[in-house]
């Protein structure tokens, strides 16, 4: 519950850019800004807790271009890495 709550709080704290004279939130830019923000503010705290279990994480921006519909789709991924052990 603790890390889940921290991730939600960190995600909500990302500064929101707007378009159309500040009237509409720019959700695509928000997703792109979220990755470095999470890597700076959430990931280090989470890794302190996860390292004792042999893992660490990072935030990663995954994107692709779609030939139909929206031209670009972006998704924030939380990647898990297993730490190497001695021996």
């Amino acid at each position: 519950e603790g890390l889940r709550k921290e991730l939600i709080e960190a995600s909500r704290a990302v500064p929101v850019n707007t378009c159309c004279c500040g009237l509409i939130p720019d959700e695509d830019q928000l997703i792109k800004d979220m990755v470095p923000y999470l890597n700076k503010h959430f990931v280090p705290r989470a890794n302190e807790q996860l390292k004792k279990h042999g893992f660490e994480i990072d935030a990663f921006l995954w994107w692709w271009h779609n030939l139909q519909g929206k031209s670009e789709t972006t998704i924030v991924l939380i990647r898990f890495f297993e730490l190497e052990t001695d021996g």
Side-chain angles (χ1 to χ4, degrees):
E1 177 65 27
L3 284 179
R4 179 179 172 272
K5 183 178 177 184
E6 285 185 42
L7 176 60
I8 291 169
E9 289 171 1
S11 298
R12 289 181 177 158
V14 176
V16 177
N17 290 306
T18 58
C19 54
C20 296
C21 301
L23 299 175
I24 300 173
D26 186 345
E27 292 180 7
D28 288 333
Q29 189 61 46
L30 174 65
I31 296 297
K32 292 174 184 174
D33 292 344
M34 189 175 291
V35 170
Y37 187 88
L38 290 176
N39 280 328
K40 181 177 180 182
H41 298 282
F42 169 72
V43 168
R45 290 193 320 260
N47 282 339
E48 286 177 16
Q49 296 178 43
L50 292 172
K51 282 184 181 180
K52 62 186 170 194
H53 300 288
F55 293 94
E56 61 181 22
I57 63 168
D58 75 355
F60 178 78
L61 182 67
W62 184 52
W63 63 273
W64 75 91
H65 290 279
N66 187 348
L67 297 177
Q68 299 175 353
K70 188 177 178 182
S71 63
E72 181 179 87
T73 300
T74 55
I75 297 173
V76 175
L77 297 177
I78 303 296
R79 302 186 295 184
F80 285 76
F81 300 96
E82 188 172 6
L83 298 175
E84 293 184 21
T85 57
D86 297 334

